[in-house]
Amino acid sequence: MPSTADIRERVENTIVDVLKVDAAELAEDRRIREDLGADSLDAVTLVMALEDEFGGSINEADAQSLATVGDVIAFISRRVEEKALA
Amino acid sequence: MTRRRVVVTGIGMLSPVGATAAECWAALLAGRGAVAPVPDAWRRYAATTSTIWAPLPAIDWADRGIGRIEQMQLDTSGMLTIAAAAEALRDAGIAARLVDPKKNTHVLDVPAPDRCGVFMGTGVGGITSFVGNLANHVMSPLPLDGVDPAVLPPMPPRFSPYAVPAMMPNAVSALVGIRWSLTGPNLTFAQACAAGTVAVGHAYRAIASGAVDVALCGGAEYLGDPYGGIFRGFDAARTLAGAGADPARANRPFDRDRTGFLLAEGGAAVLVCEEWEAARRRGARPLAEVAGFAETFDGHSIMMMEPSGRRIADMLTAALDDAGCAATSVDYINAHGTGTLVNDEIESAVIDRLFGGRPLVAATKSLTGHCIGASGGIEAAVTALSLARQETHACGNLEHPIRDLRFAREAGPCRIDTAITQSFAFGGHNAAVVMRSVG
């Protein structure tokens, strides 16, 4: 199973790829829409990219709940633990 | 106002015979065609009559400026388009400055982006990714159906939120206009196998009339859906070449033993066209002049060419008139040359009637396979390169020509001052572009 540090790095790389923000901006409390400038299409794209990065699928309700960088890392870590994602 | 002169100053191209214009041109001159068995997976769905096609070479999309996020968002026809357009702009020496890293959009070093147009052709647009989305939809019924998912064939992991913009045929033009901030007219032509030629012709007219100063034009297509459904459509229409004893010799336009056309996985070609004087002022190197265009319609059948070729002859006469040149001055014809029994017969008869045995006749599809909506763009690019380099590629597998024309039997140097590239399409659309040497 991937380590927490490994998951954090992969999540951060995916966010950087989608939103083209500086990795240094990705503190856990940064809000994906308000602080990182994601519009609704970016948010949809980020979910697709996370699905591709970790395998499996993320449903609409879960996707809506991911407001901050920390939310995403926590959500992916939990799903990986449940073996729903790799 | 006198009609302005139009030149080609840059070319980008991806096809089954190469991932760049230089690779395609080298393969064409060397007579290296593309042919391979269709993917094994397709045999799960149909026992098609034809079992060969012309696959694309491996393409490093990231190296072409299309990262993993865009690869997820775009249909392959869109990626082919962007790769060909980027290469054409580089070839034309037009610099691009990145303006929005997230959207990956650029501004070109041109005086007026509002006077730069995009004119692209495509046969099926982004249908390939939609086939995948549709499979995901059909194969993932809601649980209340009681269908056991284990019995269903493989399917893509998601129904993409980008399904619609990936599918729209106009995406091939819109992607170019968005990526390089070109805000003049932005048109997509969908005349099937003639779409690319129609697009180049309308780009020429827009520059000649003064409507635009620069045009990116050509065609793009992608046909390799994971289930072979698009291939099956052409197979079911009995248009494809059988593999025969030697698949490498199955693709043979204008040959006595032809059995149909070789479907290509896809391709794209983009030509940068500019008003001659403006191109000269910025120090561009013109490859060829686009000198004339005409299009006609058969009004006969949705799939079959009109047997007399009357409207093809009319189109060629009108294109020559538009260019102000006589049939006797034509040195080179890049024929539609698909390899189907009826098309080659009609096309060769029209060429014989109008031009006799004087012009060289080359069939690019004999090497690339048939790239459908991209083929007109690819053949316009090949015609421009033939004029610029003063050499021709040969017709692949042409051993017993069906008519006594001057088919290009060997690749090599030749004198070409005036050239024609022509295309015919399902539906009945005919289009021809006349080009001239600038050397």
Side-chain angles (χ1 to χ4, degrees), chain A residues 17 42 44-45 48 51-52, chain B residues 68 72 102 158 161-162:
Chain A
D17 260 4
D42 294 331
V44 164
T45 304
M48 289 169 69
E51 288 175 342
D52 281 1
Chain B
R68 70 162 170 158
M72 203 170 63
K102 188 164 91 182
R158 70 166 75 82
Y162 288 91

Side-chain angles (χ1 to χ4, degrees), chain B residues 25-326:
Chain B
W25 183 243
L28 288 169
L29 289 185
R32 276 198 306 276
V35 61
V38 297
D40 285 345
W42 294 5
R43 298 194 196 145
R44 289 186 63 177
Y45 302 105
T48 51
T49 304
S50 177
T51 54
I52 51 172
W53 74 330
L56 284 164
I59 298 165
D60 182 345
W61 296 114
D63 186 54
R64 311 296 281 259
I66 301 164
R68 70 162 170 158
I69 301 305
E70 285 186 313
Q71 288 175 41
M72 203 170 63
Q73 296 170 327
L74 301 173
D75 183 80
T76 306
S77 61
M79 299 199 290
L80 287 163
T81 305
I82 289 172
E87 187 190 355
L89 289 165
R90 239 184 353 264
D91 189 43
I94 299 177
R97 182 170 52 82
L98 184 67
V99 290
D100 184 336
K102 188 164 91 182
K103 288 165 64 192
N104 202 5
T105 52
H106 307 71
V107 168
L108 294 182
D109 181 21
V110 291
D114 286 348
R115 290 186 52 78
C116 297
V118 178
F119 301 75
M120 290 291 292
T122 187
V124 299
I127 194 175
T128 302
S129 57
F130 197 80
V131 167
N133 283 307
L134 189 66
N136 171 288
H137 176 74
V138 172
M139 297 302 164
S140 51
L142 299 172
L144 42 109
D145 275 322
V147 175
D148 176 7
V151 305
L152 302 173
M155 61 169 180
R158 70 166 75 82
F159 193 101
S160 172
Y162 288 91
V164 171
M167 172 189 64
M168 308 180 317
N170 59 308
V172 298
S173 301
L175 289 169
V176 174
I178 292 167
R179 200 173 196 87
W180 287 285
S181 311
L182 303 174
T183 44
N186 188 293
L187 303 176
T188 306
F189 299 85
Q191 284 76 9
C193 311
T197 308
V198 172
V200 172
H202 283 265
Y204 147 77
R205 276 191 187 157
I207 298 173
S209 73
V212 300
D213 301 325
V214 177
L216 269 65
C217 59
E221 199 78 278
Y222 189 71
L223 304 157
D225 72 84
Y227 317 96
I230 297 168
F231 181 89
R232 186 179 184 177
F234 286 101
D235 187 78
R238 294 286 179 269
T239 56
L240 300 184
D246 179 3
R249 295 173 62 207
N251 181 17
R252 43 198 318 140
F254 297 119
D255 187 88
R256 184 189 67 191
D257 300 325
R258 70 197 184 282
T259 58
F261 71 78
L262 180 72
L263 188 75
E265 181 178 359
V270 173
L271 292 79
V272 176
C273 291
E274 303 179 59
E275 191 272 318
W276 187 316
E277 274 307 306
R280 192 183 54 74
R281 280 198 301 277
R282 76 170 184 90
R285 156 217 60 162
L287 298 167
E289 179 181 8
V290 185
F293 170 62
E295 55 191 334
T296 61
F297 186 68
D298 280 353
H300 170 72
S301 158
I302 199 73
M303 294 229 316
M304 302 293 289
M305 285 170 71
E306 191 279 312
S308 78
R310 177 180 73 89
R311 293 299 283 157
I312 293 171
D314 293 346
M315 164 193 78
L316 286 165
T317 305
L320 290 169
D321 276 356
D322 189 43
C325 61

Side-chain angles (χ1 to χ4, degrees), chain B residues 1-49:
Chain B
M1 168 176 170
T2 57
R3 188 164 70 179
R4 309 195 307 171
R5 296 180 74 181
V6 182
V7 283
V8 179
T9 55
I11 287 173
M13 177 157 48
L14 302 90
S15 82
V17 300
T20 64
E23 281 179 27
C24 290
W25 183 243
L28 288 169
L29 289 185
R32 276 198 306 276
V35 61
V38 297
D40 285 345
W42 294 5
R43 298 194 196 145
R44 289 186 63 177
Y45 302 105
T48 51
T49 304

